[in-house]
Amino acid sequence: IESTIKTHDLSDQIKAATKENHFRAENTQLMLSYQKGQITLQQYKVLLFSLYEIYKALEEELDRNSSHPAVAPIYFPQELARLELLESDLEYFFGQDWEKRVIVPAATQRYKQRLRKIGQENPELLVAHAYTRYLGDLSGGQVLGKITQKSLGLSSKEGLSFFSFPGVSSPNRFKQLYRSRMNSVELTEEEKAAVLEEAVEAFELNIQVFDDLQKMLSIATETDQSRSDVGAARFTASPVLQLAVGLCVALATVGAAMYGM
């Protein structure tokens, strides 16, 4: 059995190792709602905040470790970088002082901290997060971009830059190249096992966000219902609901797209 596993490509191993985690992440009620086009402008704006924080950590750590032997083969900043595109989207919706308005929940902070930690201590584990994020975005970006544009009633693609990959002419061919590069990374068996565990951890971090925010959503809803005779209660709950739903969608985006790769 061990010799059989060794012949498998790392990309195939990650897909197999995260199959169950992906299923749980993809089939949340909120992800299915997103696919049906049930997302508001406020939710999408908060989604961008969360994605910004996560990609800022991921891409800064990839940049810092770009010469690391495990990172160098899968380092494609010109083709894949999302940070500047997210900044453009945030400026479109919030203006030039958008950075003062960034708000994310604790679960997103935990994911960001995990990326910083492995970037400092175990850069080879960034391979798992980069693969999960970027290939998921490439697989689902165009479809999700169209869903978002239609749901929000946007007349142009301004504010939707995150979903576009101007440096990639053929997503399918690029994904093949990326998987080939990743499969060429030389890892010890111990390091490869750690990368597989980290890929599972990436999904678990996503699911933690779902759980965290669904609890927020439940508490806010209960509060709203128990004080339904007070108009102010409903007004207070609304931003919490928007925050919860928006950020669940943010982390679900990649999970839904990943296995279209």
Short mmCIF file of all heavy atoms in Angstrom, two decimals, residues 30 34 57 79 90 95 130 132 138 191 203 210 233 252:
data_model
loop_
_atom_site.label_atom_id
_atom_site.label_comp_id
_atom_site.label_asym_id
_atom_site.label_seq_id
_atom_site.Cartn_x
_atom_site.Cartn_y
_atom_site.Cartn_z
N LEU A 30 -25.53 27.92 3.37
CA LEU A 30 -25.14 29.22 2.85
C LEU A 30 -24.44 29.11 1.50
O LEU A 30 -24.60 29.96 0.63
CB LEU A 30 -24.24 29.93 3.86
CG LEU A 30 -24.98 30.37 5.13
CD1 LEU A 30 -24.00 30.87 6.17
CD2 LEU A 30 -26.01 31.43 4.82
N TYR A 34 -25.66 30.76 -2.03
CA TYR A 34 -24.83 31.58 -2.91
C TYR A 34 -24.97 31.10 -4.34
O TYR A 34 -25.12 31.89 -5.28
CB TYR A 34 -23.37 31.51 -2.47
CG TYR A 34 -22.49 32.50 -3.20
CD1 TYR A 34 -22.15 33.72 -2.64
CD2 TYR A 34 -21.99 32.22 -4.47
CE1 TYR A 34 -21.36 34.63 -3.31
CE2 TYR A 34 -21.19 33.12 -5.16
CZ TYR A 34 -20.88 34.32 -4.57
OH TYR A 34 -20.11 35.21 -5.24
N ALA A 57 -2.27 37.81 3.78
CA ALA A 57 -1.35 36.93 4.52
C ALA A 57 -0.73 35.89 3.61
O ALA A 57 0.49 35.67 3.62
CB ALA A 57 -2.11 36.25 5.67
N GLU A 79 0.38 35.69 -12.66
CA GLU A 79 -0.83 35.01 -13.14
C GLU A 79 -1.92 34.91 -12.07
O GLU A 79 -3.11 34.97 -12.40
CB GLU A 79 -0.47 33.59 -13.61
CG GLU A 79 0.41 33.54 -14.86
CD GLU A 79 1.88 33.71 -14.55
OE1 GLU A 79 2.25 33.87 -13.36
OE2 GLU A 79 2.68 33.66 -15.50
N LEU A 90 -12.39 46.78 -3.35
CA LEU A 90 -12.74 47.46 -2.10
C LEU A 90 -12.76 48.98 -2.29
O LEU A 90 -13.62 49.68 -1.75
CB LEU A 90 -11.74 47.07 -1.01
CG LEU A 90 -11.92 45.66 -0.46
CD1 LEU A 90 -10.70 45.21 0.33
CD2 LEU A 90 -13.17 45.57 0.40
N GLY A 95 -14.37 53.52 -1.50
CA GLY A 95 -13.56 54.71 -1.66
C GLY A 95 -12.12 54.49 -1.21
O GLY A 95 -11.75 53.40 -0.77
N ALA A 130 -1.98 27.46 -1.11
CA ALA A 130 -1.96 28.08 -2.43
C ALA A 130 -2.74 27.23 -3.43
O ALA A 130 -3.52 27.76 -4.23
CB ALA A 130 -0.51 28.25 -2.90
N THR A 132 -5.15 25.03 -2.82
CA THR A 132 -6.58 25.06 -2.50
C THR A 132 -7.22 26.37 -2.93
O THR A 132 -8.29 26.40 -3.54
CB THR A 132 -6.79 24.86 -0.98
OG1 THR A 132 -6.21 23.62 -0.59
CG2 THR A 132 -8.26 24.86 -0.63
N LEU A 138 -9.60 29.66 -9.79
CA LEU A 138 -9.55 29.49 -11.24
C LEU A 138 -10.71 28.65 -11.75
O LEU A 138 -11.28 28.92 -12.80
CB LEU A 138 -8.23 28.83 -11.65
CG LEU A 138 -7.05 29.74 -11.96
CD1 LEU A 138 -5.79 28.92 -12.19
CD2 LEU A 138 -7.33 30.60 -13.20
N GLU A 191 7.38 15.31 5.03
CA GLU A 191 6.91 16.61 4.57
C GLU A 191 5.64 16.48 3.73
O GLU A 191 4.71 17.30 3.86
CB GLU A 191 8.00 17.30 3.76
CG GLU A 191 9.17 17.79 4.59
CD GLU A 191 10.33 18.28 3.74
OE1 GLU A 191 10.44 17.87 2.56
OE2 GLU A 191 11.13 19.10 4.25
N PHE A 203 -9.30 23.24 4.91
CA PHE A 203 -10.74 23.06 4.85
C PHE A 203 -11.38 23.18 6.22
O PHE A 203 -12.46 23.75 6.38
CB PHE A 203 -11.08 21.71 4.22
CG PHE A 203 -11.23 21.77 2.73
CD1 PHE A 203 -10.22 21.34 1.91
CD2 PHE A 203 -12.39 22.27 2.16
CE1 PHE A 203 -10.34 21.41 0.53
CE2 PHE A 203 -12.53 22.34 0.78
CZ PHE A 203 -11.51 21.90 -0.03
N PHE A 210 -17.56 28.68 9.03
CA PHE A 210 -19.00 28.41 8.86
C PHE A 210 -19.66 28.27 10.23
O PHE A 210 -20.68 28.89 10.52
CB PHE A 210 -19.22 27.11 8.07
CG PHE A 210 -18.62 27.10 6.71
CD1 PHE A 210 -18.27 25.90 6.11
CD2 PHE A 210 -18.41 28.27 6.00
CE1 PHE A 210 -17.72 25.87 4.84
CE2 PHE A 210 -17.85 28.25 4.74
CZ PHE A 210 -17.51 27.03 4.16
N ALA A 233 -34.37 46.41 17.84
CA ALA A 233 -33.71 45.10 17.93
C ALA A 233 -33.45 44.55 16.54
O ALA A 233 -32.39 44.01 16.26
CB ALA A 233 -34.58 44.13 18.73
N ALA A 252 -16.69 29.91 1.72
CA ALA A 252 -17.29 28.81 0.97
C ALA A 252 -16.95 28.87 -0.51
O ALA A 252 -16.94 27.86 -1.19
CB ALA A 252 -18.82 28.84 1.13
#
